[in-house]
Amino acid sequence: MAEAKVFEKILRMKERERKTAQQAFAEKQQQFEAAATTLYELLKKKEDAEAQLSNGLAASVPIQRLSEHHEFLETINRRIDRAQIAVQFARNAMLEKQELLSEAYIEVKKIEKLLEKKRQEAWRKLQEEENKQMDDISIRQFLANGAR
C-alpha cells in the first residue's frame, strides 16, 4: 500500500498543476475575449462611420466633412489592424494554454488509472491472503476433526 501513497502524492501534485493550468487558461481566455470585444467594437464603429459616409455622399455634405469622415475611417482601419494582431496573439496564447491544460488533464487521468490499478492489486492480494488463511484454518479444522 506504500506504493499507492506515493501515487496519491503524485496525483495531488498533478492536480495542483492542472488547477494552475486551468487558471492560466481562464486568464488567457479572458484576455482573448477582451481583445475580440475591442475588435468587434472597432468594426462596429467602422460600419457606422461607413454608413454615415455613404449617407453623406447621397446628401449634399461639405467636402471638409467628407474629408473628416475619410480620415476617421483611416484611423479606425489602423486601429482595426492593430486589434486584429492583438486578437491573433491572444488566440495563440489561449490555444497554447489550452494545450497545456489538456496535457495536465491527461497526466491526472494517467495517475488516477495507475492509482486505481495499484488499489485493485492491493485488494486482490488481500483477498488472496484471506483465502490462504481460510484454507489453512479449514485444513487445521479438518485435521483436528479427523484426528478424533
Side-chain angles (χ1 to χ4, degrees):
M1 197 62 185
E3 287 182 31
K5 289 191 185 288
V6 171
F7 282 110
E8 287 173 2
K9 286 182 180 180
I10 292 171
L11 178 62
R12 283 193 300 271
M13 181 187 71
K14 292 293 183 181
E15 284 177 341
R16 280 192 303 271
E17 289 175 4
R18 180 192 52 83
K19 285 180 184 177
T20 302
Q22 195 170 21
Q23 290 171 344
F25 172 70
E27 181 181 315
K28 293 299 179 183
Q29 189 175 28
Q30 288 174 347
Q31 290 174 359
F32 170 73
E33 287 175 1
T37 301
T38 301
L39 178 60
Y40 172 78
E41 290 169 355
L42 287 170
L43 290 170
K44 186 71 174 156
K45 275 185 185 178
K46 179 183 175 185
E47 186 179 301
D48 293 343
E50 286 175 342
Q52 285 179 351
L53 182 61
S54 66
N55 289 340
L57 291 176
S60 59
V61 175
I63 294 195
Q64 179 65 27
R65 184 85 170 159
L66 291 176
S67 177
E68 289 171 1
H69 265 53
H70 182 69
E71 287 178 31
F72 181 70
L73 283 174
E74 288 299 317
T75 303
I76 287 181
N77 282 333
R78 285 192 297 274
R79 289 176 62 192
I80 287 172
D81 290 341
R82 287 192 300 270
Q84 285 176 332
I85 292 169
V87 166
Q88 189 59 41
F89 278 123
R91 178 182 291 123
N92 289 340
M94 181 184 69
L95 292 175
E96 183 179 307
K97 294 300 179 182
Q98 185 179 25
E99 181 72 27
L100 293 174
L101 179 60
S102 295
E103 290 173 9
Y105 269 113
I106 290 169
E107 288 297 318
V108 167
K109 286 295 180 186
K110 284 180 184 177
I111 299 300
E112 285 175 345
K113 284 189 179 206
L114 281 172
L115 184 57
E116 184 61 29
K117 284 182 183 180
K118 291 295 181 185
R119 286 179 179 157
Q120 286 176 353
E121 182 67 21
W123 178 254
R124 188 187 58 76
K125 286 181 181 180
L126 181 66
Q127 291 293 342
E128 285 179 4
E129 187 63 34
E130 279 184 14
N131 288 340
K132 284 181 185 178
Q133 289 176 355
M134 292 299 285
D135 288 346
D136 286 344
I137 291 170
S138 294
I139 290 172
R140 285 184 195 151
Q141 283 181 342
F142 177 75
L143 291 177
N145 289 336
R148 290 185 196 178

